């Protein structure tokens, strides 16, 4: 399992589903479908997505000039 960070490539909106997919070894599409299906259930899924978007660090890019 890799570190939990939002990837620079493969993002759709915030990169949360892509980060979770990288962490657990699944495809980003699978994670997005699971998230969309979970939105049909009652609960704070959307708020959790926003919280993870804010709290997860962005992956450091290899092309950064710093």
């Amino acid at each position: 399992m890799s570190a939990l960070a939002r990837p620079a490539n493969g993002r759709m909106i915030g990169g949360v589903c892509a980060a979770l997919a990288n962490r657990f070894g699944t495809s980003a599409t699978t994670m997005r479908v699971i998230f969309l299906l979970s939105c049909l259930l009652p609960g704070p899924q959307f708020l959790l997505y926003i919280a993870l978007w804010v709290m997860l660090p962005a992956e450091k890019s290899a092309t950064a000039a710093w």
Side-chain angles (χ1 to χ4, degrees):
M1 283 194 248
S2 62
L4 195 55
R6 293 180 297 119
N9 297 328
R11 292 182 180 184
M12 292 277 299
I13 297 176
V16 175
C17 289
L20 292 172
N22 287 342
R23 171 77 169 144
F24 295 112
T26 65
S27 72
T29 303
T30 302
M31 195 60 69
R32 290 178 185 125
V33 168
I34 290 170
F35 173 72
L36 288 175
L37 290 175
S38 75
C39 286
L40 298 174
L41 301 171
Q45 293 88 340
F46 190 70
L47 294 176
L48 181 63
Y49 185 92
I50 292 173
L52 287 173
W53 189 356
V54 170
M55 293 177 6
L56 286 180
E59 184 177 68
K60 292 187 175 34
S61 171
T63 60
W66 305 99

